Amino acid sequence: MTSHCSDEGPFFSPNTLVTDEQSYEAFLTSFIPPLAEDASSLNHITQVLYPPIFDGTHGYTTQAERNNLTIAHAVIVCNARPNIPVYTYEFAVPPATHGADLAYTFYDAGPSEKINTTIAAILQRYILEFTKTGQPNSQGLPRFETVEKGAFTALRISNEFIGKAEADRGGLDLERRCRFWQDAPYLLQYN
């Protein structure tokens, strides 16, 4: 059972320093050193997978959102989608940044004004059932399906909805993006 938050990138992206195409490329080559020696992969990331088009069609409308999404996919989101059947969920309760789900995972059933206690109880039921039986489904909860090899959907847990996520942010390109990050072609040429 794996998970990720819907906005994983901000803690890992220096958004005040990465403000344009040149600094985006420099950040990527410093964050992933093999890209400095693989212009083809760097170009594929910056022009095909995460092009400098900020109209929302690629999952971002600003350079900061582009940075965040790139790093979130490279480091966390695509790693939460292995090439075997697995239960995976996207935690989308605001702020949904890296680690925001921990208060829900470890909620102790006491009163809280900081979290949605209903969501915490549901998440813990999924985790408990998975721990007991190897699958998270339990009577009264929305069905939690496995993500099969090659599929890039997850159970979405948010304040408004718990069910199959039709697409993560930038989901139209998620399968293609995750295949690139999972294949890691830039590592094949790195010595």
Side-chain angles (χ1 to χ4, degrees):
M1 191 166 161
T2 67
S3 69
H4 68 278
C5 291
S6 61
D7 196 14
E8 290 282 3
F11 289 135
F12 306 104
S13 299
N15 289 320
T16 57
L17 301 175
V18 182
T19 58
D20 58 21
E21 194 65 20
Q22 184 177 357
S23 58
Y24 177 63
E25 290 182 12
F27 170 64
L28 288 173
T29 58
S30 68
F31 192 78
I32 306 169
L35 289 174
E37 297 178 25
D38 187 349
S40 175
S41 289
L42 180 62
N43 184 68
H44 188 71
I45 294 166
T46 63
Q47 302 304 309
V48 177
L49 297 178
Y50 306 92
I53 300 169
F54 301 100
D55 61 6
T57 59
H58 295 282
Y60 46 83
T61 58
T62 67
Q63 183 63 49
E65 290 176 354
R66 180 186 184 206
N67 306 339
N68 295 345
L69 193 62
T70 304
I71 296 308
H73 286 170
V75 176
I76 297 171
V77 174
C78 295
N79 289 320
R81 286 165 167 72
N83 289 320
I84 59 171
V86 66
Y87 294 98
T88 188
Y89 65 91
E90 174 194 27
F91 187 81
V93 176
T97 52
H98 185 72
D101 56 333
L102 294 177
Y104 292 78
T105 302
F106 298 105
Y107 170 64
D108 66 3
S112 177
E113 294 181 16
K114 296 183 179 185
I115 67 170
N116 181 329
T117 57
T118 301
I119 297 296
I122 291 170
L123 177 58
Q124 288 184 356
R125 281 183 61 198
Y126 281 128
I127 293 169
L128 180 61
E129 194 64 29
F130 180 78
T131 303
K132 289 183 350 187
T133 68
Q135 61 83 32
N137 292 302
S138 177
Q139 186 174 5
L141 292 180
R143 183 103 180 123
F144 195 151
E145 301 291 340
T146 57
V147 175
E148 298 297 324
K149 182 177 179 177
F152 290 89
T153 59
L155 181 79
R156 183 179 180 90
I157 299 175
S158 71
N159 284 330
E160 299 80 29
F161 173 77
I162 298 177
K164 184 178 177 182
E166 292 305 316
D168 287 301
R169 189 172 62 138
L172 296 177
D173 295 326
L174 186 61
E175 183 173 346
R176 181 171 51 132
R177 289 169 173 170
C178 284
R179 290 210 189 291
F180 175 84
W181 293 118
Q182 290 172 345
D183 290 347
Y186 49 88
L187 292 178
L188 298 176
Q189 301 174 25
Y190 189 63
N191 294 320

